[in-house]
């Protein structure tokens, strides 16, 4: 469904942020993109969705294809219309508007009021909590409720693939469970997911497949079950060795390097 082949991203024509990234998301699949802060995970999502152009960045090499069609270099609105939506990090609600007004903005492409009402009903059915909160001002919601709202707003665009960046960030454990239960229901309904997440445990519980990034490169990939069983994944992801000291990926033994390692 989504394929990246040797993708490079350049910021300000100087900083090479992604260095030959190749990865795939299958139809109805769920893929986790893991790694420490600054590894390039969010940049990868922004390159896919076209948001990178608004941050003085560009895809300077490689290919990004969605359902067989190249999308790199296209603006984000065109990418959304193609069926791919990006839920960015930070729960970016419109704080002075109600929950329902936020959702309506997510469905701005609908040409009729009837289509808008149908989409709203679908979101409220998928996320009943939002139905109860529809008249609440978004800025007064809890962090978990805001996360559900931005997911609901993304659903309004009727995507076939959702990119979601750090859905558990800053949430209490109970809310993390609720958010990932929602994502699990969405993927059961056929929505493909590419999840950037630092909570390795919850990410690999929902994902079928995972990639690990460091310094703008994919350095490890495998089935989620295989990655969950790999002690070195936890060790690298936390950035700590067994004695509690900081460790680079290159220092961790027993990793299986990708054959297509560049550099």
């Amino acid at each position: 469904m989504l394929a990246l082949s040797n993708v490079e991203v350049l910021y300000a024509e100087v900083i090479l942020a992604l260095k030959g990234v190749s990865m795939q998301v299958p139809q109805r699949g769920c893929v986790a993109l893991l790694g420490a802060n600054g590894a390039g995970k969010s940049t990868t999502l922004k390159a896919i969705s076209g948001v990178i152009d608004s941050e003085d960045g560009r895809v300077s090499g490689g290919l990004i294809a969605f359902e067989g069609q190249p999308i790199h270099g296209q603006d984000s609105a065109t990418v959304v219309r193609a069926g791919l939506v990006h839920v960015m990090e930070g729960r970016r609600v419109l704080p002075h508007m109600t929950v329902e007004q936020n959702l309506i903005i997510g469905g701005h492409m609908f040409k009729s009021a009837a289509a808008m009402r149908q989409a709203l009903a679908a979101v409220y059915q998928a996320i009943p909590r939002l139905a109860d909160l529809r008249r609440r001002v978004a800025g007064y919601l809890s962090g978990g409720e805001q996360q559900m709202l931005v997911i609901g707003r993304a659903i309004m665009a009727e995507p076939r693939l959702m990119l979601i960046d750090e859905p558990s960030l800053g949430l209490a454990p109970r809310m993390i469970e609720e958010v990932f239960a929602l994502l699990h229901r969405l993927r059961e309904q056929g929505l493909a997911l590419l999840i950037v997440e630092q909570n390795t445990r919850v990410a690999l519980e929902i994902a079928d497949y995972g990639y690990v990034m460091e310094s703008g490169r994919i350095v490890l990939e495998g089935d989620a079950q295989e990655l969950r069983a790999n002690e070195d994944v936890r060790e690298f992801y936390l950035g700590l060795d067994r004695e509690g000291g900081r460790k680079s990926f290159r220092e961790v033994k027993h990793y299986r390097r990708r054959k297509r390692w560049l550099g």
Side-chain angles (χ1 to χ4, degrees):
M1 188 174 204
L2 177 71
L4 281 68
S5 179
N6 294 320
V7 171
E8 296 184 349
V9 165
L10 198 62
Y11 279 111
E13 299 299 325
V14 175
I15 302 169
L16 188 61
L18 296 185
K19 308 163 186 175
V21 170
S22 296
M23 58 186 300
Q24 296 183 357
V25 179
Q27 291 277 355
R28 304 172 68 93
C30 181
V31 172
L33 182 56
L34 310 172
N37 284 334
K41 308 184 302 299
S42 295
T43 295
T44 301
L45 298 194
K46 291 174 182 178
I48 296 168
S49 67
V51 177
I52 197 78
D53 295 341
S54 66
E55 299 187 351
D56 199 19
R58 65 181 179 90
V59 176
S60 56
L63 174 69
I64 303 175
F66 178 59
E67 297 185 326
Q69 300 299 317
I71 58 171
H72 55 284
Q74 296 186 6
D75 63 87
S76 56
T78 301
V79 174
V80 170
R81 286 194 293 271
L84 188 157
V85 68
H86 183 181
V87 179
M88 298 183 70
E89 180 185 349
R91 300 189 287 276
R92 302 185 186 195
V93 301
L94 299 169
H96 302 299
M97 302 180 73
T98 67
V99 165
E100 188 154 295
Q101 287 169 335
N102 270 266
L103 294 175
I104 288 171
I105 287 174
H108 65 277
M109 78 293 294
F110 291 116
K111 296 181 179 180
S112 72
M116 178 71 75
R117 287 194 298 270
Q118 185 177 358
L120 279 171
V123 170
Y124 290 144
Q125 182 176 9
I127 316 175
R129 186 187 290 252
L130 294 184
D132 297 335
L133 297 170
R134 68 179 73 190
R135 307 206 186 285
R136 185 79 61 86
V137 175
Y140 291 105
L141 301 180
S142 70
E145 290 166 345
Q146 288 184 348
Q147 186 65 64
M148 290 186 177
L149 175 54
V150 294
I151 293 172
R153 191 170 63 194
I155 295 172
M156 288 291 293
E158 300 184 329
R160 294 185 297 282
L161 170 62
M162 181 184 293
L163 317 178
I164 183 164
D165 196 350
E166 300 288 2
S168 75
L169 184 66
L171 300 185
R174 181 179 64 83
M175 290 308 305
I176 292 174
E177 290 180 5
E178 288 193 29
V179 167
F180 272 85
L182 168 60
L183 294 177
H184 186 74
R185 292 196 301 272
L186 292 176
R187 70 160 305 194
E188 285 184 334
Q189 294 169 12
L191 180 64
L193 298 170
L194 174 56
I195 303 175
V196 161
E197 181 56 69
Q198 289 202 40
N199 189 327
T200 307
R201 180 186 61 82
V202 297
L204 292 179
E205 283 176 358
I206 188 174
D208 308 306
Y209 201 84
Y211 295 85
V212 178
M213 292 194 80
E214 185 184 66
S215 302
R217 301 179 188 272
I218 300 293
V219 292
L220 180 68
E221 65 177 89
D223 292 335
Q225 182 176 359
E226 177 185 346
L227 294 179
R228 283 197 302 269
N230 188 330
E231 183 180 349
D232 286 340
V233 169
R234 181 191 63 82
E235 191 173 321
F236 159 67
Y237 180 76
L238 296 175
L240 300 173
D241 62 19
R242 291 178 177 82
E243 287 72 41
R246 185 67 53 184
K247 180 178 284 191
S248 165
F249 176 83
R250 291 183 177 85
E251 298 171 331
V252 177
K253 297 179 181 180
H254 311 305
Y255 269 107
R256 293 177 294 106
R257 300 280 181 168
R258 282 166 53 87
K259 293 182 179 179
R260 283 192 257 178
W261 174 269
L262 297 179

